[in-house]
Amino acid sequence: MAGSIARRLTVSILPVACLVLATTAGPAVAAPPSRVVPGIDIVPPGGEATLAWRVNNRDQVLLFLSGTIWQRGRYTDIGGLGGAFTGAFDLNDAGDVVGDSDLPDGSTHAFRWRQGRMVDLGTLGGPTSNARSVGANGDVAGRSTLPDGSEHVFHWRAGVLTDTGIPSGFTSAMKVNARGQIAAHHVSETFSSRAYFWDRGVVTDLGTLGGDRVTVTDLNDRGEVVGFATTATGDIHAFRWRNGRMTDLGTLGGADSRANDINNRGQITGSAASATSSERAFRWENGVMTDLDAARGTQAQTGGSAINERGDVVGSRTGTSATRGVVWRRGATLELDAVGRETSQGNDINDRGLAVGLTAVDPFQPTRATVWYTRR
């Protein structure tokens, strides 16, 4: 759980110089019968929460696109910058929250909230800014308009907003780590994309896997970047970028794979196609990609959303009758109860085993933010 955005923004489940390592399929992970973990609904005062988005190691839960933090039954409203809307997108273990909030004049600015005080991070000269990631030391990454109307990725630290020079235009994602390093990608209007690594003013292009699209999903505190990219044949493969080299993580026998999260031990999770074309949750470590749900058969579609520092993976499994959130832990499979509904989905998990996500009656009905204490 290195802190990940594009990593889990779903309500339905997932069905140049380059170093390519031969990825070997790991042994099947022994999975005893699932233990069902009871869920707890989060219903903040004044309305329903649709998605529990992030959780830190203090068990603080960030509710997506809201200004509310939940912690062991207590709710904290972080307020705003004077306008009508506040959206929070990330939090760190110190409890810092970042996102964007409307001003009284209707413009939108990035903010960082810390211990009851919200700070307007300003802009790079244009009217708008948005914060999307906060590092362990309180550094912030986001995007801002410039005076000419273009958009760049910014780095913020201790009141200083810095233009990284990385374009953020049509669409983009960015992550910042404890060192203040930033990984980001930019999608052009033709839908090709490039990814970049920013470190103390120096921008490095991550390269490609032979195709024209590269997507960043996470960055750990060691400066390792993960995501997915198109190959020369048009397939999509998960990658890890480290020290200037992009590594193709391969697949589980099928055509495609995607990396969603990386922890500070270098363990990676995501989804990969099997030889039967089903999507499978995986954990990748030291060149080995392991199907986390292999012992339960290959009929279900599974995907890993996040991985904590213990190596626990949270994600989801879609079978013939329903979708359920799942935690894979040292060979055991824990099912996340849907709290009387049809669907559950796990989005994030902290090192204490608190998993967060959503439940829903069906894919076409409003979702409910839900948490699961998986170590009780």
Side-chain angles (χ1 to χ4, degrees), residues 171-244:
T171 185
S172 60
M174 64 287 300
K175 293 292 297 180
V176 62
N177 65 14
R179 300 178 181 179
Q181 299 165 323
I182 293 174
H185 73 261
H186 166 246
V187 181
S188 72
E189 294 183 1
T190 62
F191 298 104
S192 63
S193 59
R194 302 292 295 191
Y196 306 93
F197 183 77
W198 181 91
D199 186 12
R200 293 171 292 182
V202 178
V203 177
T204 302
D205 190 315
L206 269 57
T208 75
L209 292 180
D212 65 351
R213 298 179 186 178
V214 185
T215 299
V216 166
T217 55
D218 202 20
L219 165 70
N220 69 12
D221 290 338
R222 304 195 303 186
E224 297 173 309
V225 183
V226 295
F228 49 92
T230 51
T231 67
T233 60
D235 294 330
I236 298 172
H237 280 196
F239 73 80
R240 181 197 65 187
W241 182 92
R242 182 174 67 178
N243 297 329

Coordinates of all heavy atoms in Angstrom, one line a residue, residues 171-244:
T171 N -5.3 14.3 -19.8 CA -5.6 13.6 -18.5 C -4.3 13.1 -18.0 O -3.3 12.9 -18.7 CB -6.5 12.4 -18.8 OG1 -6.9 11.7 -17.5 CG2 -5.9 11.4 -19.7
S172 N -4.2 12.9 -16.7 CA -2.9 12.5 -16.1 C -3.1 11.9 -14.7 O -4.2 12.0 -14.2 CB -2.0 13.7 -16.0 OG -2.6 14.7 -15.2
A173 N -2.1 11.3 -14.2 CA -2.1 10.8 -12.9 C -0.7 11.0 -12.3 O 0.3 11.0 -13.0 CB -2.5 9.3 -12.8
M174 N -0.6 11.2 -11.0 CA 0.7 11.4 -10.4 C 0.7 10.9 -9.0 O -0.3 10.8 -8.3 CB 1.1 12.9 -10.4 CG 0.2 13.8 -9.6 SD -1.5 14.1 -10.3 CE -1.1 14.9 -11.9
K175 N 2.0 10.5 -8.6 CA 2.2 10.0 -7.2 C 3.5 10.7 -6.7 O 4.4 10.9 -7.4 CB 2.4 8.5 -7.2 CG 1.2 7.7 -7.6 CD 0.1 7.8 -6.5 CE 0.5 7.2 -5.2 NZ -0.5 7.3 -4.2
V176 N 3.5 10.9 -5.3 CA 4.7 11.5 -4.7 C 5.1 10.5 -3.6 O 4.2 10.0 -2.9 CB 4.5 12.9 -4.2 CG1 3.4 13.0 -3.2 CG2 5.8 13.5 -3.7
N177 N 6.4 10.3 -3.3 CA 6.8 9.5 -2.3 C 7.4 10.2 -1.1 O 7.5 11.5 -1.1 CB 7.7 8.4 -2.8 CG 9.0 8.9 -3.3 OD1 9.4 10.0 -3.1 ND2 9.8 8.0 -4.0
A178 N 8.0 9.5 -0.1 CA 8.6 10.2 1.0 C 9.8 11.0 0.7 O 10.2 11.9 1.5 CB 8.9 9.1 2.1
R179 N 10.5 10.7 -0.4 CA 11.6 11.5 -0.8 C 11.3 12.8 -1.6 O 12.1 13.6 -2.0 CB 12.5 10.6 -1.7 CG 13.1 9.4 -1.0 CD 13.9 8.6 -2.0 NE 14.4 7.4 -1.5 CZ 15.2 6.5 -2.2 NH1 15.5 6.8 -3.5 NH2 15.6 5.4 -1.6
G180 N 10.0 12.9 -1.9 CA 9.5 14.0 -2.7 C 9.7 13.8 -4.2 O 9.4 14.7 -5.0
Q181 N 10.0 12.6 -4.6 CA 10.0 12.2 -6.0 C 8.6 12.0 -6.5 O 7.7 11.6 -5.8 CB 10.8 10.9 -6.2 CG 12.3 11.0 -5.7 CD 12.9 9.6 -5.6 OE1 12.3 8.7 -5.1 NE2 14.2 9.5 -5.9
I182 N 8.4 12.3 -7.8 CA 7.1 12.2 -8.4 C 7.1 11.3 -9.6 O 8.0 11.4 -10.4 CB 6.6 13.6 -8.8 CG1 6.3 14.4 -7.5 CG2 5.3 13.5 -9.6 CD1 5.9 15.9 -7.8
A183 N 6.1 10.4 -9.8 CA 5.9 9.7 -11.0 C 4.6 10.1 -11.6 O 3.6 10.3 -10.8 CB 5.9 8.2 -10.7
A184 N 4.5 10.3 -12.9 CA 3.3 10.8 -13.5 C 3.3 10.4 -14.9 O 4.3 10.1 -15.6 CB 3.3 12.4 -13.4
H185 N 2.0 10.3 -15.5 CA 1.9 10.1 -16.9 C 1.0 11.1 -17.5 O 0.1 11.7 -16.8 CB 1.4 8.7 -17.2 CG 0.0 8.4 -16.9 ND1 -0.4 7.8 -15.8 CD2 -1.2 8.7 -17.6 CE1 -1.8 7.7 -15.8 NE2 -2.2 8.2 -16.9
H186 N 1.1 11.3 -18.8 CA 0.3 12.3 -19.5 C -0.3 11.7 -20.7 O 0.4 11.1 -21.5 CB 1.2 13.5 -19.9 CG 0.5 14.4 -20.9 ND1 1.0 14.6 -22.1 CD2 -0.6 15.2 -20.8 CE1 0.2 15.4 -22.8 NE2 -0.7 15.8 -22.0
V187 N -1.6 11.8 -20.9 CA -2.3 11.3 -22.1 C -2.6 12.4 -23.0 O -3.2 13.4 -22.6 CB -3.6 10.6 -21.7 CG1 -4.3 10.0 -22.9 CG2 -3.3 9.5 -20.7
S188 N -2.1 12.3 -24.3 CA -2.3 13.3 -25.3 C -3.8 13.2 -25.8 O -4.5 12.3 -25.6 CB -1.3 13.2 -26.4 OG -1.7 12.0 -27.2
E189 N -4.1 14.2 -26.6 CA -5.4 14.2 -27.3 C -5.6 13.1 -28.3 O -6.7 12.8 -28.7 CB -5.7 15.6 -27.9 CG -5.8 16.7 -26.9 CD -6.1 18.0 -27.5 OE1 -6.3 18.1 -28.7 OE2 -6.2 19.0 -26.8
T190 N -4.5 12.5 -28.7 CA -4.6 11.3 -29.6 C -4.6 10.0 -28.8 O -4.5 9.0 -29.4 CB -3.4 11.4 -30.6 OG1 -2.2 11.3 -29.9 CG2 -3.4 12.6 -31.4
F191 N -4.6 10.1 -27.5 CA -4.6 9.0 -26.6 C -3.3 8.2 -26.5 O -3.3 7.1 -25.9 CB -5.8 8.0 -26.9 CG -7.1 8.7 -26.8 CD1 -7.8 9.1 -27.9 CD2 -7.7 9.0 -25.6 CE1 -9.1 9.7 -27.8 CE2 -8.9 9.6 -25.4 CZ -9.6 10.0 -26.6
S192 N -2.3 8.7 -27.1 CA -0.9 8.1 -26.7 C -0.5 8.7 -25.4 O -1.1 9.8 -25.0 CB 0.1 8.5 -27.8 OG 0.3 9.9 -27.9
S193 N 0.4 8.1 -24.7 CA 0.8 8.6 -23.4 C 2.2 8.3 -23.1 O 2.8 7.3 -23.6 CB -0.1 7.9 -22.3 OG 0.0 6.5 -22.3
R194 N 2.8 9.2 -22.3 CA 4.2 9.0 -21.8 C 4.2 9.1 -20.3 O 3.3 9.8 -19.7 CB 5.1 10.0 -22.4 CG 5.1 10.1 -23.9 CD 5.8 8.8 -24.5 NE 7.2 8.7 -24.2 CZ 8.0 7.8 -24.7 NH1 7.5 7.0 -25.6 NH2 9.3 7.8 -24.4
A195 N 5.2 8.5 -19.6 CA 5.3 8.6 -18.2 C 6.7 9.2 -17.8 O 7.7 9.0 -18.6 CB 5.2 7.2 -17.6
Y196 N 6.7 9.9 -16.7 CA 7.9 10.6 -16.3 C 8.2 10.4 -14.8 O 7.3 10.1 -14.0 CB 7.7 12.1 -16.6 CG 7.3 12.4 -18.0 CD1 6.0 12.5 -18.4 CD2 8.3 12.5 -19.0 CE1 5.6 12.8 -19.7 CE2 8.0 12.8 -20.3 CZ 6.6 12.9 -20.6 OH 6.3 13.2 -21.9
F197 N 9.5 10.6 -14.5 CA 9.9 10.5 -13.1 C 10.6 11.9 -12.8 O 11.6 12.2 -13.5 CB 10.9 9.4 -12.9 CG 11.4 9.1 -11.5 CD1 10.5 8.6 -10.5 CD2 12.7 9.5 -11.1 CE1 11.0 8.3 -9.2 CE2 13.1 9.3 -9.8 CZ 12.3 8.7 -8.9
W198 N 10.2 12.6 -11.7 CA 10.8 13.9 -11.4 C 11.5 13.7 -10.0 O 10.9 13.2 -9.1 CB 9.7 14.9 -11.2 CG 10.1 16.3 -10.9 CD1 10.5 17.3 -11.8 CD2 10.2 16.9 -9.6 NE1 10.8 18.4 -11.1 CE2 10.6 18.2 -9.7 CE3 10.0 16.4 -8.3 CZ2 10.8 19.0 -8.6 CZ3 10.2 17.2 -7.2 CH2 10.6 18.5 -7.4
D199 N 12.7 14.2 -10.0 CA 13.5 14.1 -8.7 C 14.4 15.3 -8.6 O 15.3 15.5 -9.4 CB 14.4 12.8 -8.8 CG 15.1 12.6 -7.5 OD1 14.8 13.3 -6.5 OD2 16.0 11.7 -7.4
R200 N 14.0 16.2 -7.7 CA 14.8 17.4 -7.4 C 15.1 18.2 -8.7 O 16.2 18.7 -8.9 CB 16.0 17.1 -6.7 CG 15.8 16.6 -5.3 CD 17.1 16.0 -4.6 NE 17.5 14.8 -5.3 CZ 18.6 14.1 -4.9 NH1 19.3 14.5 -3.9 NH2 18.9 13.0 -5.6
G201 N 14.1 18.4 -9.5 CA 14.2 19.3 -10.7 C 14.6 18.5 -11.9 O 14.5 19.1 -13.0
V202 N 14.9 17.3 -11.9 CA 15.3 16.5 -13.1 C 14.2 15.6 -13.5 O 13.7 14.8 -12.7 CB 16.6 15.7 -12.8 CG1 17.0 14.9 -14.0 CG2 17.8 16.6 -12.4
V203 N 13.8 15.7 -14.8 CA 12.7 14.9 -15.3 C 13.3 13.8 -16.2 O 14.1 14.1 -17.1 CB 11.7 15.7 -16.1 CG1 10.6 14.9 -16.7 CG2 11.1 16.8 -15.2
T204 N 12.9 12.5 -15.9 CA 13.3 11.4 -16.7 C 12.1 10.7 -17.4 O 11.1 10.5 -16.7 CB 14.0 10.4 -15.8 OG1 15.1 11.0 -15.2 CG2 14.5 9.2 -16.6
D205 N 12.2 10.5 -18.7 CA 11.2 9.7 -19.4 C 11.4 8.3 -19.1 O 12.4 7.7 -19.2 CB 11.3 10.0 -20.9 CG 10.2 9.4 -21.7 OD1 9.7 8.3 -21.4 OD2 9.7 10.1 -22.6
L206 N 10.3 7.6 -18.6 CA 10.4 6.2 -18.2 C 10.6 5.2 -19.4 O 11.0 4.1 -19.1 CB 9.1 5.8 -17.5 CG 9.1 6.0 -15.9 CD1 9.4 7.4 -15.5 CD2 7.8 5.5 -15.3
G207 N 10.4 5.7 -20.6 CA 10.5 4.8 -21.7 C 9.2 4.0 -22.0 O 8.1 4.4 -21.5
T208 N 9.3 3.0 -22.8 CA 8.1 2.2 -23.2 C 8.4 0.7 -23.2 O 9.5 0.3 -23.0 CB 7.6 2.6 -24.6 OG1 8.5 2.0 -25.6 CG2 7.6 4.1 -24.8
L209 N 7.4 0.0 -23.4 CA 7.5 -1.5 -23.7 C 7.4 -1.8 -25.2 O 7.1 -2.9 -25.6 CB 6.5 -2.3 -22.9 CG 6.7 -2.3 -21.4 CD1 5.6 -3.1 -20.7 CD2 8.0 -2.8 -21.0
G210 N 7.6 -0.8 -26.0 CA 7.5 -0.9 -27.4 C 6.3 -0.3 -28.1 O 6.2 -0.2 -29.3
G211 N 5.3 0.0 -27.3 CA 4.1 0.6 -27.8 C 4.0 2.1 -27.5 O 5.1 2.7 -27.2
D212 N 2.8 2.7 -27.7 CA 2.7 4.2 -27.6 C 1.9 4.6 -26.3 O 1.6 5.8 -26.2 CB 2.1 4.8 -28.8 CG 0.7 4.3 -29.1 OD1 0.2 3.4 -28.3 OD2 0.1 4.9 -30.0
R213 N 1.7 3.7 -25.4 CA 0.9 4.1 -24.2 C 1.6 3.6 -22.9 O 1.9 2.4 -22.8 CB -0.5 3.6 -24.3 CG -1.3 4.2 -25.5 CD -2.7 3.6 -25.5 NE -3.4 4.0 -26.7 CZ -4.7 3.7 -27.0 NH1 -5.3 2.9 -26.2 NH2 -5.2 4.1 -28.1
V214 N 1.8 4.5 -22.0 CA 2.4 4.1 -20.7 C 1.5 4.8 -19.6 O 1.3 6.0 -19.6 CB 3.8 4.6 -20.6 CG1 4.4 4.1 -19.3 CG2 4.7 4.1 -21.8
T215 N 1.1 4.0 -18.6 CA 0.3 4.5 -17.5 C 0.9 4.2 -16.2 O 1.3 3.0 -15.9 CB -1.1 3.8 -17.6 OG1 -1.8 4.1 -18.8 CG2 -2.0 4.3 -16.4
V216 N 1.1 5.2 -15.4 CA 1.6 5.1 -14.0 C 0.5 4.8 -13.0 O -0.5 5.5 -13.0 CB 2.4 6.3 -13.6 CG1 2.7 6.3 -12.1 CG2 3.7 6.4 -14.4
T217 N 0.7 3.9 -12.1 CA -0.3 3.6 -11.1 C 0.2 3.8 -9.7 O -0.6 4.1 -8.8 CB -0.9 2.2 -11.2 OG1 0.2 1.2 -11.2 CG2 -1.7 2.0 -12.5
D218 N 1.5 3.6 -9.4 CA 2.0 3.7 -8.1 C 3.5 4.0 -8.1 O 4.2 3.7 -9.1 CB 1.6 2.5 -7.2 CG 1.7 2.8 -5.7 OD1 1.6 4.0 -5.4 OD2 1.7 1.9 -4.9
L219 N 4.0 4.5 -6.9 CA 5.4 4.8 -6.7 C 5.7 4.5 -5.2 O 4.9 5.0 -4.4 CB 5.6 6.3 -7.0 CG 6.9 6.9 -6.5 CD1 8.1 6.4 -7.3 CD2 6.8 8.5 -6.6
N220 N 6.7 3.8 -5.0 CA 7.1 3.5 -3.6 C 8.2 4.4 -3.1 O 8.7 5.3 -3.8 CB 7.4 2.0 -3.3 CG 8.7 1.6 -3.9 OD1 9.5 2.4 -4.4 ND2 8.9 0.3 -4.0
D221 N 8.6 4.3 -1.8 CA 9.5 5.2 -1.2 C 11.0 4.9 -1.7 O 11.9 5.7 -1.3 CB 9.4 5.2 0.3 CG 8.1 5.8 0.8 OD1 7.5 6.6 0.0 OD2 7.7 5.5 1.9
R222 N 11.2 3.8 -2.4 CA 12.5 3.5 -2.9 C 12.7 4.1 -4.4 O 13.7 3.9 -5.0 CB 12.7 2.0 -2.9 CG 12.6 1.4 -1.5 CD 13.2 0.0 -1.5 NE 12.6 -0.9 -2.5 CZ 12.9 -2.2 -2.5 NH1 13.8 -2.7 -1.6 NH2 12.4 -3.0 -3.4
G223 N 11.6 4.7 -4.9 CA 11.7 5.3 -6.2 C 11.3 4.3 -7.3 O 11.6 4.6 -8.5
E224 N 10.7 3.2 -6.9 CA 10.2 2.2 -7.9 C 8.8 2.6 -8.4 O 8.0 2.9 -7.6 CB 10.3 0.8 -7.3 CG 11.6 0.4 -6.9 CD 11.6 -1.0 -6.2 OE1 10.8 -1.1 -5.2 OE2 12.4 -1.9 -6.6
V225 N 8.6 2.6 -9.7 CA 7.4 3.0 -10.3 C 6.7 1.7 -11.0 O 7.4 0.9 -11.6 CB 7.6 4.0 -11.4 CG1 6.2 4.5 -12.0 CG2 8.3 5.2 -10.9
V226 N 5.4 1.6 -10.8 CA 4.7 0.5 -11.5 C 3.5 1.1 -12.3 O 3.1 2.2 -12.0 CB 4.2 -0.6 -10.5 CG1 5.4 -1.3 -9.8 CG2 3.2 0.0 -9.5
G227 N 3.1 0.3 -13.2 CA 1.9 0.6 -14.1 C 1.8 -0.4 -15.1 O 2.1 -1.6 -15.0
F228 N 1.3 0.1 -16.3 CA 1.1 -0.8 -17.4 C 1.4 -0.1 -18.7 O 1.2 1.2 -18.8 CB -0.2 -1.6 -17.4 CG -1.4 -0.6 -17.2 CD1 -2.1 -0.1 -18.3 CD2 -1.9 -0.4 -16.0 CE1 -3.2 0.7 -18.1 CE2 -3.0 0.4 -15.8 CZ -3.6 1.0 -16.8
A229 N 1.8 -0.8 -19.8 CA 2.1 -0.1 -21.0 C 1.8 -1.1 -22.2 O 1.8 -2.3 -22.0 CB 3.6 0.3 -21.0
T230 N 1.6 -0.5 -23.3 CA 1.4 -1.3 -24.5 C 2.7 -1.8 -25.1 O 3.8 -1.2 -25.0 CB 0.7 -0.6 -25.6 OG1 1.3 0.7 -25.9 CG2 -0.8 -0.3 -25.3
T231 N 2.7 -3.0 -25.6 CA 3.9 -3.6 -26.2 C 3.9 -3.3 -27.7 O 2.9 -2.8 -28.3 CB 3.9 -5.1 -26.0 OG1 2.8 -5.7 -26.7 CG2 3.8 -5.4 -24.5
A232 N 4.9 -3.8 -28.4 CA 5.0 -3.6 -29.9 C 3.9 -4.3 -30.6 O 3.5 -3.9 -31.7 CB 6.4 -4.0 -30.4
T233 N 3.3 -5.4 -30.0 CA 2.3 -6.1 -30.6 C 0.9 -5.6 -30.2 O -0.1 -6.2 -30.7 CB 2.4 -7.6 -30.2 OG1 2.2 -7.7 -28.8 CG2 3.7 -8.2 -30.7
G234 N 0.8 -4.6 -29.4 CA -0.5 -4.0 -29.0 C -1.0 -4.6 -27.7 O -2.1 -4.2 -27.2
D235 N -0.4 -5.6 -27.1 CA -0.8 -6.2 -25.8 C -0.5 -5.1 -24.7 O 0.3 -4.2 -24.9 CB -0.1 -7.5 -25.5 CG -0.5 -8.6 -26.5 OD1 -1.6 -8.6 -27.0 OD2 0.3 -9.5 -26.7
I236 N -1.1 -5.3 -23.6 CA -0.8 -4.5 -22.4 C -0.1 -5.3 -21.3 O -0.7 -6.3 -20.9 CB -2.1 -3.9 -21.9 CG1 -2.8 -3.0 -22.9 CG2 -1.9 -3.1 -20.6 CD1 -4.2 -2.5 -22.5
H237 N 1.0 -4.8 -20.9 CA 1.8 -5.6 -19.9 C 2.1 -4.7 -18.7 O 2.4 -3.5 -18.8 CB 3.1 -6.1 -20.5 CG 3.0 -7.3 -21.3 ND1 4.0 -8.1 -21.6 CD2 1.9 -7.9 -21.8 CE1 3.6 -9.2 -22.3 NE2 2.3 -9.1 -22.5
A238 N 2.1 -5.3 -17.5 CA 2.5 -4.6 -16.3 C 4.0 -4.4 -16.4 O 4.8 -5.1 -17.0 CB 2.2 -5.5 -15.1
F239 N 4.4 -3.2 -15.7 CA 5.9 -3.0 -15.7 C 6.3 -2.5 -14.3 O 5.5 -2.0 -13.5 CB 6.3 -1.9 -16.8 CG 5.8 -0.5 -16.5 CD1 6.5 0.3 -15.6 CD2 4.7 0.0 -17.1 CE1 6.1 1.6 -15.3 CE2 4.3 1.3 -16.8 CZ 5.0 2.1 -15.9
R240 N 7.6 -2.6 -14.1 CA 8.2 -1.9 -13.0 C 9.4 -1.1 -13.5 O 10.2 -1.7 -14.3 CB 8.8 -2.9 -11.9 CG 9.4 -2.2 -10.7 CD 10.3 -3.2 -9.9 NE 11.4 -3.6 -10.7 CZ 12.3 -4.5 -10.3 NH1 12.1 -5.1 -9.1 NH2 13.3 -4.9 -11.1
W241 N 9.5 0.1 -13.1 CA 10.6 1.0 -13.5 C 11.5 1.3 -12.3 O 10.9 1.7 -11.3 CB 10.1 2.3 -14.1 CG 11.2 3.2 -14.6 CD1 11.7 3.3 -15.9 CD2 11.8 4.3 -13.9 NE1 12.6 4.3 -16.0 CE2 12.8 4.9 -14.7 CE3 11.8 4.7 -12.5 CZ2 13.6 5.9 -14.3 CZ3 12.6 5.7 -12.1 CH2 13.5 6.3 -13.0
R242 N 12.8 1.0 -12.4 CA 13.7 1.2 -11.3 C 15.1 1.6 -11.9 O 15.6 0.9 -12.7 CB 13.8 0.0 -10.4 CG 14.7 0.1 -9.2 CD 14.7 -1.1 -8.3 NE 15.2 -2.3 -9.0 CZ 15.3 -3.4 -8.4 NH1 14.9 -3.6 -7.1 NH2 15.9 -4.5 -9.0
N243 N 15.6 2.7 -11.3 CA 17.0 3.1 -11.7 C 17.2 3.2 -13.2 O 18.2 2.8 -13.8 CB 18.0 2.2 -11.1 CG 18.0 2.1 -9.6 OD1 17.7 3.1 -9.0 ND2 18.3 1.0 -9.0
G244 N 16.2 3.8 -13.9 CA 16.3 4.0 -15.3 C 15.9 2.9 -16.2 O 16.0 3.0 -17.4

